[in-house]
Amino acid sequence: MHLLYEILAESWELLLDAAPYILFGILVGGLLKVFLSPAYVARHLGQGRYSSVFKAALFGVPLPLCSCGVLPAAATLKKQGANNGATTAFLISTPESGIDSISVSYALLDPIMTAARPVAAFVSALIAGSIENTFNPPRPQLAMAADLSCAVDGCCSGVDCPPAEHANHHTLLEKIRAGMRYAFGELWGDLAGWFFIGLLLAGLISALVPDDLITAYLGGGLAAMLLMLAFGIPLYICATASTPIAAAMILKGVSPGAALVFMLVGPATNMATISVLVGLLGRRATGVYLACIAITAVLFGLALDAIYATLGISAKAMVGQAGELLPYPVQLAAALLILALSIKPMYRMIQGWFTKGAGGSDSGCGCDGGCGSK
């Protein structure tokens, strides 16, 4: 009973940390749905085996979304015609970097690590997306199948409606309202079940793995980076929050390369993310996602240590006040709102477990069972 309480307590703490970012990601996803033309997405992120991956990786680097917040935005891109490779690239480059985490890195670390972080995020995203599209080439018919109808009220099909004319059909407020309805209705409904399953798994891991082990035996070298991978992949932490932790690790003697592995892997992977990705992209694409993140993170970590050694630079972080942390009332309000929004989709998901075999193919990710590769 004590272990169960501890798991639930850890899961609740993770939800408190993640909830504001999830809400922000849902809002971004809703706005993308309304303001980002499906035809544009289908053309740039749905067609082209490698150009779409390059654009998605580049597009994701500056966005301030963490590994949970990026999921709703990526689900929207997927629904609007983005291929698996482009979606994979977006899912990697976005949480590993961001304007917020770059600024915090510059404040707490040094210029070398500040530059290494977005570069590593972009390269790892480019490699993962390219591998996915190499083995699973995007099919033009999938992009053409994207929903091009008006995202506000379906007033036109998007085919015989000139963009200049349709731009005057709805006011800005109408578009925002439509985006919010989609974000907090269909979009979160598609992701809620997968997220809470992963959240409980993350709570289980957090409860069983002592915190002090994260900073133990990490003096440098390949072994330290592999150990950092083992800690970082299942645990949830946002890119911005990982930066002061990495700075503290460096001050304790952790190599800058091992700290970089933590900053890349921690924000990009966790049990909640992995569980959603299986539903969104499929098992094979999720495997490519994890493998590419792990391999490129270690390679960049080794290269970064080599750069510091060659230049004779000591990686000393100027640890000061960590960036502004969200106050507890904001976290609590966001968590309670997430729980309220999840009641209906979770009820439908649990109900579906007892009504299998009714011919439905919905996977719980909003892809109707057909978005993931096999």
Side-chain angles (χ1 to χ4, degrees), residues 27 96 99 101 127 188 238 257 295 309 339 346 356:
L27 291 173
E96 287 189 343
I99 295 176
S101 62
I127 292 174
W188 180 241
C238 284
I295 294 173
L339 290 175
M346 288 297 294
K356 291 181 179 179

Side-chain angles (χ1 to χ4, degrees), residues 113 214-221 224-225 228 245-260 262 305 315-316:
M113 292 198 70
I214 297 178
T215 54
Y217 314 112
L218 297 173
M225 295 180 194
M228 194 72 81
I245 297 176
M249 288 180 175
I250 292 175
L251 287 178
K252 292 180 179 180
V254 174
S255 74
L260 179 64
F262 174 75
D305 279 350
K316 293 184 178 180

Side-chain angles (χ1 to χ4, degrees), residues 133-150:
N133 276 358
T134 297
F135 292 98
N136 182 29
R139 290 167 285 177
Q141 62 268 30
L142 293 182
M144 290 189 296
D147 183 9
L148 303 181
S149 62
C150 173

Side-chain angles (χ1 to χ4, degrees), residues 18 32 76 82 135 174 191 227 273 305 332 341 353 359:
L32 285 175
T76 299
F135 292 98
E174 288 176 329
L191 298 176
L227 188 58
T273 301
D305 279 350
L332 179 60
L341 292 171
W353 292 345

Side-chain angles (χ1 to χ4, degrees), residues 59 135 330 371:
F59 178 54
F135 292 98
V330 174
C371 68

